[in-house]
Amino acid sequence: MSEQTAGIGNASEFEDSGPAESAPGNRIVQGVLWGLLILSILVAPAFLYPVFVMQLLCFALFACAFNLLIGFTGLLSFGHAAFFGGAAYFAGHAIKVWGLPPLFGIITGALGAAVLGYLVGALAIRRQGIYFAMITLALAQIVYFFALQLPFTGGENGLQGIPRGTLFGLVSLNDPIVMYYFVAAIFMIGFLIIYRTIHSPFGQVLQAIRENEARALSLGYNVDRFKLIAFVLSASLAGLAGATKAVVFQFASLTDAHWQTSGEVILMTLLGGMGTIFGPIIGAVTIVTLQHELASIGSWVQVVIGGIFIVSVLLFRRGIIGELARVLKVSGV
């Protein structure tokens, strides 16, 4: 029996006990959440400022990409802002200086983040636990230093004036509504990639590694290889979000690559529900909305968000979606 064939069967042994994802209740809840997600994306511009919703979608994709790593592989990265911010600079430079169309500039940013992810992951996965997390933080700080010092990044002023251009040379992305649905399409593509990965045999192996790495290793899996692939995939999707954000705001800044952004995406994931599918979206929407609505109180917004995080950890340890799934006794959400 081949390694992959054996893995499909054995990986299921690691899955959490509980209702099967094919149970009617699970399908209904999943259908409702999918319906709400799609409906919200379609009608949001009619009720909210399109640029604000685009920001929500970018951070939601960033949080979902991070959740693929921590929630389904069990790897805590303190340096994911390096891929988010690095891709923003890559995309901005490719569009502004090289003259690439925005779509290809975003793809360039995602590919650049994938390369960064491979370099960081190849070093970091040699260690586990807090050592892995600290290595990712240290390497992310190196990326931040380069973003501060390299000439093309603009230093503390950031990379400004990134043109939105046109889509396929036909439709101008300077129209906020056109730009919004372009960003929405990118978000859905990224989210569907994550969803399909989670529900694939590869995703089952990742969850097996998360639950019991030693047992996965004893079954014959090359654990380090699976971890590295998951890390690169997570980094590239985080880069996709960062590159898209740079085009939306026509600006790439040091904030995108700062360690605080890494902390925020961890908070989004934990608040929404680590290891859930829709949780990071809820967490991202909650945090970004609070930052936007409480901007008038200045730095005190961090105190408010910190308080909310403490309450959530104490009272909703599974996150918003995790607690909802527990109450409804469903899984796979």
Side-chain angles (χ1 to χ4, degrees), residues 5-260:
T5 305
I8 296 173
N10 291 323
S12 62
E13 298 177 13
F14 293 88
E15 294 181 356
D16 295 332
S17 60
E21 288 191 19
S22 59
N26 292 348
R27 291 199 301 268
I28 292 173
V29 174
Q30 287 184 28
V32 170
L33 291 175
W34 273 107
L36 289 174
L37 175 63
I38 295 173
L39 180 63
S40 299
I41 291 175
L42 290 176
V43 305
F47 301 96
L48 299 171
Y49 185 45
V51 174
F52 171 66
V53 186
M54 285 188 273
Q55 182 183 12
L56 292 179
L57 291 176
C58 290
F59 276 101
L61 179 57
F62 184 25
C64 288
F66 178 76
N67 184 51
L68 177 64
L69 189 66
I70 186 175
F72 292 94
T73 313
L75 297 176
L76 173 59
S77 169
F78 281 157
H80 247 50
F83 315 122
F84 185 78
Y89 283 109
F90 293 147
H93 184 75
I95 295 171
K96 183 178 180 179
V97 179
W98 296 348
L100 292 183
L103 179 59
F104 291 103
I106 290 172
I107 293 173
T108 300
L111 291 176
V115 173
L116 274 179
Y118 178 81
L119 295 175
V120 173
L123 293 173
I125 63 171
R126 299 171 185 269
R127 294 293 181 265
Q128 297 180 352
I130 189 62
Y131 301 104
F132 171 88
M134 296 310 295
I135 290 173
T136 59
L137 175 60
L139 294 174
Q141 287 300 100
I142 294 175
V143 174
Y144 178 83
F145 173 79
F146 281 124
L148 179 63
Q149 297 296 328
L150 291 177
F152 82 92
T153 63
E156 294 183 353
N157 295 323
L159 183 59
Q160 305 179 29
I162 301 172
R164 288 185 178 179
T166 59
L167 183 61
F168 303 119
L170 300 174
V171 183
S172 174
L173 293 179
N174 290 312
D175 184 332
I177 299 300
V178 174
M179 186 65 196
Y180 169 79
Y181 285 108
F182 173 64
V183 173
I186 291 176
F187 166 79
M188 287 303 301
I189 291 171
F191 185 65
L192 287 172
I193 290 173
I194 295 170
Y195 183 84
R196 183 67 190 95
T197 300
I198 292 169
H199 292 86
S200 68
F202 173 75
Q204 291 182 349
V205 175
L206 294 183
Q207 293 174 65
I209 294 171
R210 177 198 65 191
E211 295 298 325
N212 193 327
E213 182 175 332
R215 187 176 179 187
L217 187 63
S218 70
L219 289 172
Y221 293 111
N222 187 334
V223 171
D224 285 348
R225 184 182 67 182
F226 278 98
K227 285 182 178 180
L228 182 57
I229 294 173
F231 195 94
V232 172
L233 180 58
S234 177
S236 60
L237 290 168
L240 181 66
T244 304
K245 177 179 176 289
V247 176
V248 169
F249 290 96
Q250 301 180 276
F251 181 65
S253 69
L254 288 173
T255 303
D256 297 331
H258 196 263
W259 64 265
Q260 185 173 337

